[in-house]
């Protein structure tokens, strides 16, 4: 097969460079020297002698160069031959120019004698575009020392690997794979029936296993299935000459919208009417071309197959699934717990593989496993990087990620400043009565510090990095209490109407974030009605027996609290409706809106596991609908919102570690005012040195998370080795998911978000001491 020209790449042009002949040079040189005998002495004879001598020297240099090259070739053949002589896999060694210098016996039997030919020509009979493919592989091998590529060929599937030979050359190994790769289908011994289908279900290719089951070659997927599966994976019945055959369909996205359909044994997955998947069955996964992993009740990967290890780059198991994927918008552990309860089973999610470079996205579908075994959940994983419908979501996530990084970067330092300002203001308020002339000024400072903290909170809520403190909320009480504040916000021309169902309305959410969602939506409704009108807040329980698909979101079946905020305002034009949740996008005039209100609502709802939708027409008002998972009072993990335990008065000893002097000064004074003894340190290293004194008694650690050198969780782990069971209060500007995972691994630890008040700090310390 003719190879393709590759300009700028040595050895992949398919032609040998022209080389001057040593014999010709010697003949010309001899003729020149002989000519000097016929020329009388003089300048011409000197010139001819110089030309002859130059030609002799050039011939000698070229001969030496060829001798060195031939010596290198012999050494290369000797090195490679000693390693590959008995290798049953075809092996070819090339020089830097891409010319074949050695073949082992398997390569000669497979490709014929190709000594001295370009490697593109040697492999041209097996590859579709060797001139484009092989230079890329060799360049990758030159950078990393090794490169591998799997691809379909006309005769099956091959794995082509290139190993860099130091100081020069490349060793190629051409290995036949036992089964199909994601690139296509060929003759293979794999017993799993499989097919490649077009977006409309037309069968483009099918392997021998599926062809053997069918009486003829079917034209579409509908001809071989009794019913439309309707999902990416699930139980199906294959129509065969022998009758319906039960299989488990797994569809893997391919390029250009195609799907690879694998019809697995039903034991690989199960429905509620099929036998559970035992842990031992997972051993049958290893050779399947579909990535499958088994998860235990704690969210750890306990079983995986080769395709899963390749997609997620899993080195060892068990490993937490949250360390392999991210990008769900809420903790992976919470998503897995929902799946165990049956709320998100069968719903595919697009996630980012954490350990893979370059970036890779995977589609993960969870199925029930064996409730009595190790693998209680089965995850079916496919590469979704090239999916066309991912592009829009990816662009949107990039926008949100950019703002999230900005918010996260400034939040810690900004919240340190706010903590110092509001904290010292609290200390001053303790020493000034309400009739003091300075009291109103202090109240203004305190009020504006809280406004600044609220702005930071909106940025963090949008970026989904705000500290999340879920608690059981009774909507009757929460919305009734919030109505007083909302009435002041909407003004006299707007009437707030509350329409709550009579039955109990409980949900598990962060109260402060929930109130912020309601305030943002009510203020947005007020601004949409410049002439006044009614804003109606309605809440009622809602049960979804089937999934709800809206826009690009899918609400799984389950029990929800549905909250609607309805206004009679100017409405939203259709072309603007799809952008209302984008950051910094606003339909208001310049100076009247930041564009963060609705994007904050979106971020909080995603962080809380809820959904938000907008329905509107120009001139007909707007309706914002929230779906939040319903909770029963028995689900509460703490007191209902609005109740607080009194913090015990303290003579306890507190080790306070904070690198910001103003924050450390305020926190130390706040704790001393409440009766605690405080030992201060400005770094983790200083704190550990203090704890080296065995006579020093410490009852509780209070530490910033971000510290120079060793961070907060790091030094606390070291301290707990010598002082186990010591409670800890972490203070931070924001709580990312990684910090939540750290807290889960530390006993008796809790989080206090900045900025905090005297009461917040002393109450948190007292509560931790009472639990210890």
């Amino acid at each position: 097969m003719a190879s393709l020209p590759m300009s700028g790449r040595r050895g992949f042009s398919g032609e040998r460079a022209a080389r001057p002949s040593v014999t010709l040079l010697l003949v010309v040189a001899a003729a020149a020297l002989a000519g000097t005998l016929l020329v009388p002495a003089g300048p011409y004879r000197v010139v001819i002698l110089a030309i002859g001598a130059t030609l002799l020297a050039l011939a000698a240099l070229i001969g030496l160069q060829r001798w060195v090259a031939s010596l290198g070739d012999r050494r290369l053949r000797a090195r490679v031959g000693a390693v590959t002589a008995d290798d049953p896999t075809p092996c070819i060694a090339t020089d830097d120019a891409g010319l074949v210098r050695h073949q082992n016996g398997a390569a000669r039997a497979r490709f014929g004698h190709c000594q001295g030919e370009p490697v593109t020509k040697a492999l041209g009979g097996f590859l579709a575009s060797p001139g484009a493919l092989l230079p890329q592989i060799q360049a990758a091998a030159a950078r990393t020392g090794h490169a591998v590529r799997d691809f379909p060929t006309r005769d099956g599937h091959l794995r082509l690997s290139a190993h860099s030979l130091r100081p020069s050359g490349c060793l190629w190994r051409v290995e036949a794979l036992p089964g199909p790769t994601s690139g296509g289908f060929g003759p293979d011994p794999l017993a799993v029936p499989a097919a490649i289908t077009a977006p409309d279900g037309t069968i483009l290719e099918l392997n021998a296993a599926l062809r053997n089951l069918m009486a003829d070659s079917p034209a579409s997927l509908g001809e071989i299935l009794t019913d439309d599966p309707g999902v990416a994976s699930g139980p199906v019945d294959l129509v065969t000459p022998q009758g319906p055959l039960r299989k488990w369909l797994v569809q893997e996205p391919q390029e250009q919208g195609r799907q690879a359909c694998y019809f697995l044994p039903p034991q690989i997955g199960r429905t509620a009417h099929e036998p559970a998947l035992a842990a031992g069955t997972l051993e049958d996964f290893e050779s399947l071309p579909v990535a499958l992993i088994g998860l235990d009740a704690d969210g750890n990967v306990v079983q995986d197959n080769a395709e899963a290890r390749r997609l997620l780059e899993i080195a060892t198991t068990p490993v937490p699934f949250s360390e392999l994927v991210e990008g769900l918008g809420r903790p992976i552990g919470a998503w897995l717990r929902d799946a165990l309860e049956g709320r998100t089973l069968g719903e595919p999610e697009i996630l980012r593989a954490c350990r893979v470079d370059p970036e890779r996205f995977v589609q993960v579908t969870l199925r029930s496993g064996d409730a009595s075994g190790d693998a209680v959940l089965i995850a079916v994983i496919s590469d979704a990087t090239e999916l066309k419908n991912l592009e829009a979501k990816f662009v949107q996530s990039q926008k949100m990620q950019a703002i999230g990084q900005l918010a996260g970067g400034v939040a810690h330092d900004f919240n340190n400043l706010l903590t110092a300002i509001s904290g010292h203001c609290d200390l001053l308020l303790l020493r000034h009565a309400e009739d003091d002339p300075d009291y109103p000024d202090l109240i203004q400072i305190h009020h504006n510090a809280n406004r600044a903290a609220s702005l930071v909170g909106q940025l963090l809520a949008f970026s989904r990095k705000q500290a999340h403190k879920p608690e059981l909320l009774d909507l009757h009480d929460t919305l009734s209490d919030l109505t007083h504040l909302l009435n002041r916000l909407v003004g006299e021309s707007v009437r707030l109407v509350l329409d709550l169902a009579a039955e109990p309305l409980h949900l598990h959410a962060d109260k402060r974030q929930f109130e912020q969602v309601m305030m943002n939506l009510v203020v947005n409704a007020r601004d949409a009605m410049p002439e006044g009108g009614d804003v109606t807040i309605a809440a009622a329980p809602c049960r979804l027996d089937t999934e709800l698909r809206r826009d690009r979101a899918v609400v799984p079946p389950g029990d929800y609290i549905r909250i609607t905020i309805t206004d009679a305002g100017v409405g939203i034009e259709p072309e603007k409706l799809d952008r209302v949740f984008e950051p910094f996008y606003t339909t208001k005039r310049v100076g009247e809106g930041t564009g963060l209100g609705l994007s904050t609502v979106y971020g909080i709802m995603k962080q809380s596991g809820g959904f938000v939708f907008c329905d509107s027409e120009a001139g007909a008002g707007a309706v914002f609908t929230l779906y939040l998972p319903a909770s029963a009072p028995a689900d509460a993990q703490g007191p209902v919102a609005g109740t607080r335990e009194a913090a015990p008065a303290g003579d306890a000893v507190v080790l306070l570690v904070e690198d910001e002097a103003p924050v450390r000064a305020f926190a130390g004074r706040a704790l001393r005012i409440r009766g605690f003894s405080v030992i201060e340190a400005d770094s983790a290293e200083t704190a550990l040195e203090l704890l080296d004194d065995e006579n020093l008694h410490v009852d509780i650690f209070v530490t910033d998370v971000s510290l120079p050198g060793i961070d907060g969780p790091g030094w606390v782990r070291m301290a707990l080795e010598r002082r186990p069971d010591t409670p800890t209060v972490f203070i931070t500007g924001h709580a990312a998911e990684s910090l939540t995972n750290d807290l889960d691994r530390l006993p008796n630890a809790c989080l206090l978000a900045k900025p905090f008040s005297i009461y917040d700090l002393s109450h948190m310390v007292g509560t931790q001491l009472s639990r210890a």
Side-chain angles (χ1 to χ4, degrees), residues 563-714:
I563 305 172
T564 58
I565 296 88
T566 307
D567 66 66
V570 296
I572 305 172
E573 293 82 356
E575 63 272 13
K576 297 179 179 179
L577 194 59
D578 291 337
R579 301 187 60 191
V580 293
F581 295 113
E582 289 186 10
F584 300 117
Y585 178 77
T586 178
T587 58
K588 301 175 184 177
R589 291 178 296 183
V590 176
E592 293 185 358
T594 63
L596 281 175
L598 292 180
S599 60
T600 298
V601 171
Y602 177 84
I604 291 176
M605 293 300 293
K606 291 293 288 184
Q607 190 178 22
S608 303
F611 301 84
V612 57
F613 304 104
C614 177
D615 297 286
S616 180
E617 294 181 5
V623 179
F624 284 86
T625 304
L626 312 179
Y627 287 90
L628 284 162
S631 296
D635 296 336
Q637 299 177 359
V640 176
T643 64
R644 278 186 169 181
E645 301 174 359
D651 55 359
V653 178
V654 179
L655 176 56
L656 174 64
V657 184
E658 170 62 66
D659 60 314
E660 289 287 337
V663 178
R664 188 172 66 250
F666 156 63
R669 289 180 60 186
L671 291 171
R672 291 187 182 98
I673 287 174
R674 297 297 185 182
F676 296 101
S677 298
V678 181
I679 302 172
E680 298 183 8
D682 60 358
S683 67
E685 290 77 8
T686 303
L688 292 173
E689 289 178 5
L690 292 172
L691 294 176
D692 286 338
D693 183 0
E694 296 181 355
N695 296 321
L696 177 65
H697 176 73
V698 175
D699 294 297
I700 188 171
F701 302 143
V702 178
T703 176
D704 192 8
V705 172
S706 300
L707 294 170
I710 306 175
D711 63 3

Side-chain angles (χ1 to χ4, degrees), residues 191-221:
V192 176
I196 294 289
T197 64
D200 61 355
T202 301
I203 295 179
L204 303 176
E205 297 179 61
L206 68 163
N207 69 348
L210 182 58
R211 189 179 294 109
N212 292 337
L213 285 176
M214 302 293 110
D216 53 7
S217 296
S220 67
L221 201 59

Side-chain angles (χ1 to χ4, degrees), residues 517-594:
V517 167
M518 300 306 299
M519 285 190 292
N520 286 6
L521 292 176
V522 169
V523 168
N524 192 72
R526 177 203 66 187
D527 294 342
M529 298 186 299
E531 304 299 326
D534 290 348
V535 176
T536 303
I537 300 176
C542 172
R543 179 173 183 79
L544 297 179
D545 294 324
T546 59
E547 63 183 24
L548 171 64
R549 292 181 176 267
R550 281 205 52 179
D551 305 328
R552 289 182 295 179
V554 179
V555 184
D559 292 320
Y560 294 89
I561 302 296
R562 181 170 56 195
I563 305 172
T564 58
I565 296 88
T566 307
D567 66 66
V570 296
I572 305 172
E573 293 82 356
E575 63 272 13
K576 297 179 179 179
L577 194 59
D578 291 337
R579 301 187 60 191
V580 293
F581 295 113
E582 289 186 10
F584 300 117
Y585 178 77
T586 178
T587 58
K588 301 175 184 177
R589 291 178 296 183
V590 176
E592 293 185 358
T594 63

Side-chain angles (χ1 to χ4, degrees), residues 293-296 336 339-340 345 366-370 375-379:
I293 64 174
L295 302 168
D296 65 14
L336 297 179
L340 285 173
L345 287 177
L366 297 177
R367 293 285 174 182
S368 295
D370 183 8
V376 297
L377 286 175
I378 302 302

Side-chain angles (χ1 to χ4, degrees), residues 432-455:
H432 291 72
E434 292 187 10
D435 57 355
D436 192 294
D438 295 331
Y439 188 83
D441 297 331
L442 294 174
I443 290 296
Q444 282 296 321
I445 294 172
H446 192 273
H447 175 68
N448 284 283
N450 288 338
R451 287 184 60 192
S454 176
L455 178 60

